[in-house]
Amino acid sequence: MYIEQAALGSLEIEKIKNIIAKRCRSEIGALVTENIAPAADMAELKRRQALFADVEEYRGRKGELPWVKDVVPVAPMLDAAEENGLLSGEELVKIRLLLTLEGRMKDALSAAVSEYGSFSIPLREMRDFSDECEMLSVIDDDGRLYDYASEKLGKLRQRMRELKETIRRRAHAILGDPQIAPMLQERVLTLRNGRHAFLVRQDAMPQFPGAVVDRSGSGNSVYMEPRSLMSLNNEYGRLHGEEMLEETRLFREFTSRLMSRKKGIFDAENVLGTIDLFYALSEMMRTDKWRLPELDERTLFSFVRARHPLLGVRSVPIEIKCGLDFRILVITGPNTGGKTVALKTAGVCIYLGWLGFPIPAGEGSLLGDIGELFTDIGDEQSIEQSLSTFSAHITHVTQILNKVTPRSVVMLDELGAGTDPEEGAALGIALLDWLREERALVLATTHHNPIKRYALATDKIETASVEFDGRNLSPMYKILIGIPGRSNALLIAEKLGMRRSVIDRAQQAMNGREVSMEGLIGELQEKRSALEREAAAVEASRKKLAKLEKDYEAKMKAIEEKKEALIASADKKALSIVRNAEDSARALIKNMSDAKAEAEARRELEKKRGHFHKIEDSAAKREEKKESAQSVVAAKHELSAGDYVQIIGTNKSASVVELRGKKALIQAGAAQIEIPLTKLKLSQQAVQSAAPQVRIKVSRPVGVPSSIMVRGMTIDEAMPIVEQYLDRAYCAGYDSVTVIHGRGEGILRREVQELCKRLPYIAEHNLGGPHEGGYGVTVVRFKR
């Protein structure tokens, strides 16, 4: 996107960039913020947004990318070295720090690129600088070369240390000389102008055996080099000179190596600066609620709850859009009402959005394919060119018209102002009409009623106003799209103390048509305000009703669940009572000695058994209805082959092989079973895994025996164990297993057999034979 220089100034982009730059952790981030330009096209903009989104997600899931607080820009250092060919030790340390950070950043991005695909974008700009970092490792953090930087440097420094030790011993002997010691101001050997010397009193200078090398700051003493140290000092100075030459040689060599990779270093600095900029933008999202706009291929924009960043907490969020239902929006209203702020807010959001940044707006904001951004905002009077305000505006607008395309956004503040109102309005209408024919997006502000009427009557042009509180004479800074605004000039003048007679004359002087226009606009705004108040009340009532409805549904669900639980408990108790009664009746009949009475009792038992079966059937139907409510049929989910399902009442997943009307053939372990759809529900495994391994052959696991004993247990203890065992035995591949429940009163036996009836993978179950345990066991055979 192209943005003219005038637009950058009128939108105060530099100030906004400064706000972002202050959130950066380093100068390189601030420099990237200052120099970044809008994306060239929609494809590049999408790449920028994707990279920012990936960095943001990485930070949220895995923490911060590598960073060091002391990193600084090195490009100016390399540019300066282009002339003198030499970087200082301190500068080389700063470059090493940047290259080391770049290496760590490169490793982090490379490790995550498979998960965050857009990381490949900065990785293409990053080079391997491990050799350069190794080269610069011979420099300490203060910029001094270590002795091992070169063999020659090591030898020179070793010789200088030995020589210094010799000088120290001789100096110690001088200090011990009783004739020389009284001449000294201080008993310390000092390096002055590259010579080892003593500080000697002024009056003792003629007697001291040596030469003056410097004077003290006070002038009361002098630095003198003893004759016995002169030859040693000469040698030390020579070695020191050679040391300096060797250090300079090494620094020049390092500089030459780095200059050969200058572009790569610049790219590395830019990548690190971009990552730092993303950190700052992330902070803006966290603290100031900035959001990434959604992108659209059409030329349009729609900003929700947009705020101007320079106004801070004082800003009132606005909603402003253009390009969807209309391509020109004319905003009208009184001075200081917020018209210009609305234009600037939209312009800032467009510019920041095309930088690939989050924008100061809410979720749901939309940004389209915009090719150019032009603005004519503010007083552009030029003293040097002797142009009036009107002339300057016309000159600028003329330049804009020469560049406008259907992908342009043009912002015109105070359209038609600065000249005769009638001519200004006519010129404003002509401009809007021309821009409409060119299909540009236009935001314009005006006070002229003819322009308002033109906007109301013309296709693809919409009017808007900034809301104004006439009672308090205060702007509301709210954009009302669809209604033109009143200028309120007479109202404001009256409230500010203008004589009533002057106000009356002004009203009489106004054209009758203009008066009716202002009155119509005022009436429309009052109706709009009343409708908005009613809409707000309706929305509040709707939210309250929705909350009540939600609470009611939650309570009804709780009541239904409680009811289901009570019925299930009652069914269980009723069945237990019925079965106990049946068992007791059979026991009594068996012990009867009178054959006639026994026959009569059996007939009576058969009659009652029909009633018992009705109770059992009723409980079974309720259980079946409860299961059906969980099924795919109740959820209206259309199954297809390959879907993962779960048989209601079990925790095992299976895959659908084939649909057969109201039934489904499913693959469970090694077996295929036909199950009614009312007995199936979607499995969570279907959500978590799309694994194609739907038919797996399971070997018999260790620890699954061919029989299980639950004799002596209560029903609550035994049944979960039996159900789990049967699941495991079926999956293990057994054809049949034995459940040992004991004879007892037969209660546990009946529960086991009821369970076998419910499990779809059980083909049959029978009591054990004479040699298998008889009534004390149930033999279960699985479907295969």
Side-chain angles (χ1 to χ4, degrees):
M1 184 189 78
Y2 165 80
I3 180 169
E4 61 171 354
Q5 195 64 35
L8 289 173
S10 61
L11 296 177
E12 301 177 277
I13 295 300
E14 185 177 349
K15 293 181 181 178
I16 295 168
K17 283 187 172 182
N18 285 339
I19 292 175
I20 300 171
K22 288 178 181 177
R23 300 289 186 97
C24 294
R25 297 164 293 183
S26 68
E27 291 180 44
I28 59 174
L31 278 174
V32 170
T33 306
E34 179 185 342
N35 296 323
I36 191 170
D41 51 37
M42 184 61 75
E44 183 185 347
L45 178 57
K46 288 179 179 179
R47 288 194 294 271
R48 290 190 187 186
Q49 273 205 0
L51 178 57
F52 175 78
D54 275 357
V55 171
E56 181 69 4
E57 184 180 348
Y58 181 98
R59 291 183 66 222
R61 291 177 55 194
K62 299 187 178 183
E64 295 293 346
L65 288 163
W67 195 256
V68 289
K69 63 179 182 178
D70 297 324
V71 65
V72 297
V74 300
M77 305 175 194
L78 293 172
D79 286 337
E82 194 83 61
E83 297 180 6
N84 58 32
L86 182 64
L87 290 162
S88 68
E90 292 82 358
E91 290 172 330
L92 290 169
V93 168
K94 292 172 182 177
I95 294 173
R96 181 182 66 192
L97 182 64
L98 183 134
L99 297 183
T100 302
L101 176 59
E102 191 259 9
R104 291 171 55 201
M105 184 70 72
K106 186 170 182 285
D107 291 343
L109 296 179
S110 298
V113 71
S114 60
E115 189 174 358
Y116 303 97
S118 62
F119 282 2
S120 61
I121 298 172
L123 282 171
R124 286 196 292 268
E125 304 297 319
M126 304 177 85
R127 316 290 194 274
D128 181 9
F129 290 103
S130 55
D131 289 344
E132 284 72 19
C133 289
E134 177 67 23
M135 173 187 74
L136 298 176
S137 66
V138 298
I139 307 174
D140 66 18
D141 291 342
D142 294 325
R144 279 186 51 81
L145 289 163
Y146 289 114
D147 292 356
Y148 54 80
S150 73
E151 183 179 357
K152 182 177 181 180
L153 183 64
K155 290 180 178 179
L156 284 170
R157 289 185 175 174
Q158 178 61 31
R159 174 63 183 139
M160 289 172 69
R161 283 192 291 270
E162 294 171 353
L163 191 59
K164 197 168 184 178
E165 178 60 24
T166 302
I167 292 172
R168 189 192 64 79
R169 287 197 301 269
R170 290 200 182 177
H172 185 70
I174 293 171
L175 290 173
D177 188 332
Q179 293 182 352
I180 295 178
M183 303 179 188
L184 303 178
Q185 187 75 29
E186 295 177 354
R187 295 176 59 84
V188 177
L189 183 66
T190 305
L191 189 64
R192 202 73 173 182
N193 294 333
R195 316 291 289 182
H196 292 89
F198 289 108
L199 186 60
V200 179
R201 296 198 326 268
Q202 179 74 29
D203 60 332
M205 183 179 66
Q207 289 81 31
F208 187 84
V212 176
V213 294
D214 199 3
R215 289 190 174 274
S216 66
S218 64
N220 296 327
S221 51
V222 292
Y223 289 95
M224 298 189 70
E225 176 187 16
R227 292 192 188 93
S228 58
L229 298 182
M230 286 183 179
S231 60
L232 296 175
N233 273 336
N234 290 338
E235 178 64 12
Y236 187 86
R238 183 186 66 80
L239 293 174
H240 180 65
E242 290 188 25
E243 178 194 27
M244 296 292 291
L245 288 173
E246 179 63 10
E247 288 180 350
T248 301
R249 184 190 68 80
L250 289 171
F251 285 154
R252 287 193 182 279
E253 180 182 322
F254 297 163
T255 301
S256 177
R257 284 273 301 275
L258 293 174
M259 293 303 294
S260 68
R261 305 204 63 187
K262 182 179 176 182
K263 184 183 182 304
I265 297 173
F266 284 1
D267 290 342
E269 182 177 306
N270 185 64
V271 168
L272 293 176
T274 301
I275 297 296
D276 194 24
L277 167 59
F278 285 174
Y279 171 85
L281 294 172
S282 179
E283 289 299 295
M284 302 295 284
M285 290 183 69
R286 183 178 63 83
T287 60
D288 300 337
K289 310 302 181 187
W290 288 24
R291 294 292 179 266
L292 275 177
E294 299 174 25
L295 299 181
D296 196 293
E297 296 292 337
R298 297 168 292 176
T299 301
L300 53 82
F301 62 83
S302 176
F303 301 129
V304 179
R305 295 187 61 78
R307 295 173 179 267
H308 198 290
L310 295 182
L311 296 179
V313 295
R314 297 177 297 141
S315 62
V316 177
I318 63 170
E319 296 190 13
I320 189 166
K321 60 185 177 180
C322 193
L324 289 167
D325 302 320
F326 50 87
R327 298 192 70 80
I328 297 178
L329 182 65
V330 178
I331 306 173
T332 56
N335 289 324
T336 71
K339 302 189 301 297
T340 303
V341 171
L343 258 62
K344 289 187 174 184
T345 301
V348 165
C349 287
I350 291 171
Y351 181 76
L352 292 178
W354 267 85
L355 291 177
F357 291 4
I359 63 175
E363 296 287 352
S365 294
L366 198 63
L367 180 62
D369 185 10
I370 294 171
E372 302 85 25
L373 177 59
F374 304 105
T375 67
D376 185 68
I377 300 173
D379 186 354
E380 300 295 336
Q381 182 168 348
S382 172
I383 296 176
E384 292 180 358
Q385 298 177 25
S386 300
L387 295 176
S388 68
T389 300
F390 179 74
S391 299
H393 280 302
I394 291 300
T395 300
H396 185 205
V397 170
T398 301
Q399 294 170 352
I400 292 173
L401 297 183
N402 292 332
K403 301 175 184 177
V404 163
T405 72
R407 294 174 60 232
S408 298
V409 172
V410 182
M411 297 184 176
L412 303 172
D413 194 25
E414 298 297 347
L415 188 63
T419 187
D420 175 76
E422 187 173 345
E423 291 185 353
L427 182 59
I429 291 172
L431 279 171
L432 292 180
D433 207 44
W434 188 87
L435 290 168
R436 183 174 68 91
E437 291 178 358
E438 293 296 316
R439 295 188 50 76
L441 297 188
V442 181
L443 292 183
T445 68
T446 187
H447 284 290
H448 292 304
N449 279 338
I451 297 178
K452 298 177 190 177
R453 286 196 297 270
Y454 166 79
L456 282 169
T458 307
D459 186 39
K460 295 298 180 182
I461 300 182
E462 186 58 274
T463 59
S465 59
V466 286
E467 196 169 9
F468 189 82
D469 188 343
R471 288 172 296 182
N472 300 322
L473 289 182
S474 60
M476 306 296 289
Y477 301 108
K478 185 177 180 182
I479 302 293
L480 302 176
I481 294 180
I483 297 180
R486 302 174 66 185
S487 296
N488 291 305
L490 298 184
L491 177 62
I492 294 172
E494 183 179 6
K495 292 286 187 179
L496 294 177
M498 179 70 72
R499 290 177 180 271
R500 182 65 214 178
S501 59
V502 176
I503 300 295
D504 291 339
R505 291 187 184 189
Q507 288 178 335
Q508 292 171 9
M510 288 177 65
N511 182 284
R513 202 169 84 178
E514 299 296 329
V515 172
S516 64
M517 182 69 179
E518 286 287 308
L520 175 62
I521 291 172
E523 185 178 343
L524 283 172
Q525 287 185 334
E526 288 174 6
K527 289 181 178 180
R528 171 69 177 262
S529 297
L531 286 172
E532 285 192 346
R533 287 193 296 271
E534 289 182 15
V538 169
E539 180 64 16
S541 298
R542 189 194 65 78
K543 288 182 179 178
K544 185 177 180 181
L545 182 61
K547 185 178 185 303
L548 288 173
E549 184 179 0
K550 188 176 180 181
D551 293 342
Y552 171 77
E553 289 177 353
K555 288 178 181 178
M556 287 301 297
K557 184 178 179 182
I559 290 171
E560 284 295 323
E561 289 176 352
K562 190 173 182 180
K563 176 183 171 183
E564 293 277 348
L566 288 171
I567 291 174
S569 177
D571 284 343
K572 189 173 181 180
K573 288 181 180 178
L575 289 173
S576 178
I577 292 169
V578 166
R579 288 166 181 166
N580 286 337
E582 188 179 1
D583 288 344
S584 298
R586 283 179 179 157
L588 288 171
I589 290 171
K590 189 175 181 181
N591 293 328
M592 282 184 177
S593 55
D594 188 340
K596 185 177 180 180
E598 180 182 349
E600 183 65 27
R602 287 189 182 278
R603 282 194 297 273
E604 190 64 28
L605 178 60
E606 287 300 321
K607 291 180 184 178
K608 296 294 183 184
R609 184 174 290 155
H611 179 63
F612 295 161
H613 288 328
K614 286 182 181 178
I615 295 175
E616 289 179 337
D617 289 344
S618 177
K621 286 179 181 177
R622 276 194 292 271
E623 184 64 28
E624 186 175 341
K625 184 178 179 183
K626 184 179 176 182
E627 289 179 352
S628 296
Q630 308 173 41
S631 69
V632 292
V633 176
K636 297 182 179 180
H637 183 86
E638 295 290 335
L639 287 179
S640 58
D643 286 347
Y644 281 88
V645 292
Q646 193 172 322
I647 301 169
I648 298 172
T650 72
N651 56 2
K652 299 297 180 184
S653 293
S655 64
V656 176
V657 177
E658 181 185 352
L659 293 175
R660 298 176 177 177
K662 295 183 179 181
K663 295 183 179 181
L665 181 67
I666 64 172
Q667 184 83 32
Q672 292 187 350
I673 313 169
E674 191 176 74
I675 299 290
L677 297 178
T678 54
K679 297 278 187 184
L680 297 176
K681 65 179 180 179
L682 282 180
S683 170
Q684 287 301 315
Q685 183 178 343
V687 178
Q688 297 171 359
S689 172
Q693 303 169 349
V694 294
R695 302 189 182 192
I696 49 177
K697 195 170 183 179
V698 183
S699 61
R700 184 171 300 178
V702 178
V704 181
S706 60
S707 63
I708 185 173
M709 179 180 290
V710 292
R711 184 171 56 201
M713 297 183 185
T714 65
I715 291 175
D716 291 339
E717 293 171 342
M719 296 315 296
I721 296 174
V722 173
E723 183 174 2
Q724 185 180 19
Y725 167 72
L726 291 176
D727 282 348
R728 293 175 62 211
Y730 173 70
C731 292
Y734 282 109
D735 292 324
S736 65
V737 293
T738 302
V739 179
I740 305 169
H741 41 65
R743 293 173 181 268
E745 298 179 2
I747 297 173
L748 192 55
R749 179 184 71 242
R750 281 193 297 273
E751 290 291 337
V752 169
Q753 293 183 353
E754 285 296 325
L755 174 64
C756 292
K757 290 178 184 177
R758 295 197 301 270
L759 296 178
Y761 51 79
I762 293 179
E764 61 178 347
H765 60 279
N766 301 295
L767 293 174
H771 302 292
E772 294 176 318
Y775 285 89
V777 304
T778 294
V779 178
V780 180
R781 288 183 175 81
F782 299 114
K783 293 179 180 179
R784 294 299 179 193

